[in-house]
Amino acid sequence: MFNGIIYNFGIIKRIKKSPKYVVGSLVLEIQSDIKFKKTDIGESVCVDGVCLTLIKILKKSFLFYLSKETLNRSNFKYARVGKLLNIEKSLNFGNKVSGHYVQGHVDTTAIVNKITIIDKSWIIDFNLKRKHLIYLIEKGSISVNGVSLTISKVTNKGFQITVIPHTLKLTNLVKLKKNSLVNIEFDIFSKYLLKLTNHL
């Protein structure tokens, strides 16, 4: 479990196939200043909104496993060496939750339709597949590349968020441009409530 508050970056150093794992999966090497101990191997880490398993610690980088399902659901299918990533360690019991509950289970991807800059803040419009619009609630929470954000407006084709300068400084959202593809996780409570009401 994560909370979508980002304090660490990582850069993709290498992407490789491994005979150890299922055909179609990949191993991702990420260079970062974030600190891990040997006892952290096997733990879940949120990387650009995707919950990945830490499988090895190298001198200045780390290896993560990317399953075929993760590649199908996320923008990692288009990942390239040198890409900047948001990284968040999993929460410990008793940690303050400053954002919202993020599982790292990406639901889909969204495309940047438009970016408007007002007083150093960015208003970003995203387009989604129509079948996912049902999960959007104005003023509700959403995870974009692992960042906890508030939906400021629901549109006919997706949603709009406002990103303040502080968030831009600490995340890779500052790298977004028109047609960028981002990882989306809808609020877990909205998904459960929708399923429950459909069975009433």
Side-chain angles (χ1 to χ4, degrees):
M1 185 71 73
F2 312 92
N3 78 157
I5 303 300
I6 309 299
Y7 293 108
N8 295 282
F9 286 126
I11 296 174
I12 297 178
K13 188 175 180 181
R14 186 170 47 151
I15 304 170
K16 64 178 183 178
K17 296 178 182 178
S18 175
K20 290 183 179 180
Y21 301 106
V22 178
V23 174
S25 61
L26 296 172
V27 172
L28 189 69
E29 183 177 350
I30 298 175
Q31 184 175 340
S32 175
D33 291 332
I34 195 170
K35 303 298 182 185
F36 288 109
K37 307 183 296 293
K38 285 186 178 181
T39 53
D40 292 330
I41 291 175
E43 286 201 358
S44 296
V45 180
C46 193
V47 181
D48 247 22
V50 181
C51 180
L52 299 180
T53 301
L54 177 65
I55 58 175
K56 191 172 184 179
I57 300 173
L58 303 176
K59 192 172 182 180
K60 292 185 178 180
S61 60
F62 313 95
L63 299 186
F64 294 92
Y65 173 68
L66 279 171
S67 70
K68 191 173 181 179
E69 169 68 9
T70 296
L71 292 168
N72 288 336
R73 290 255 185 176
S74 72
N75 63 10
F76 274 110
K77 65 174 74 68
Y78 304 113
R80 296 290 181 269
V81 171
K83 182 181 179 182
L84 187 69
L85 304 169
N86 298 321
I87 298 181
E88 181 189 357
K89 285 186 173 183
S90 56
L91 293 172
N92 291 318
F93 182 77
N95 281 164
K96 180 172 68 174
V97 178
S98 297
H100 74 284
Y101 288 118
V102 176
Q103 292 183 296
H105 301 164
V106 169
D107 294 297
T108 187
T109 55
I111 298 173
V112 174
N113 179 49
K114 183 181 178 182
I115 298 176
T116 305
I117 301 175
I118 300 177
D119 293 333
K120 297 183 180 180
S121 291
W122 288 19
I123 299 173
I124 309 177
D125 283 280
F126 294 95
N127 287 348
L128 274 174
K129 292 177 182 176
R130 180 168 292 277
K131 68 178 181 179
H132 292 126
L133 297 180
I134 194 170
Y135 298 111
L136 301 176
I137 303 171
E138 190 169 310
K139 307 306 179 187
S141 297
I142 194 165
S143 168
V144 179
N145 278 357
V147 183
S148 175
L149 295 162
T150 301
I151 297 172
S152 56
K153 184 179 180 181
V154 177
T155 66
N156 291 332
K157 293 185 178 181
F159 65 97
Q160 184 182 92
I161 58 171
T162 300
V163 188
I164 63 173
H166 180 74
T167 303
L168 289 169
K169 182 180 179 181
L170 293 178
T171 70
N172 67 2
L173 299 183
V174 74
K175 299 289 186 180
L176 295 182
K177 56 186 178 181
K178 185 176 173 62
N179 294 324
S180 291
L181 194 68
V182 297
N183 294 322
I184 297 293
E185 181 186 331
F186 303 110
D187 181 40
I188 183 64
F189 297 114
S190 70
K191 289 187 283 188
Y192 276 124
L193 286 171
L194 183 62
K195 185 166 185 177
L196 284 170
T197 53
N198 284 341
H199 285 80
L200 291 178

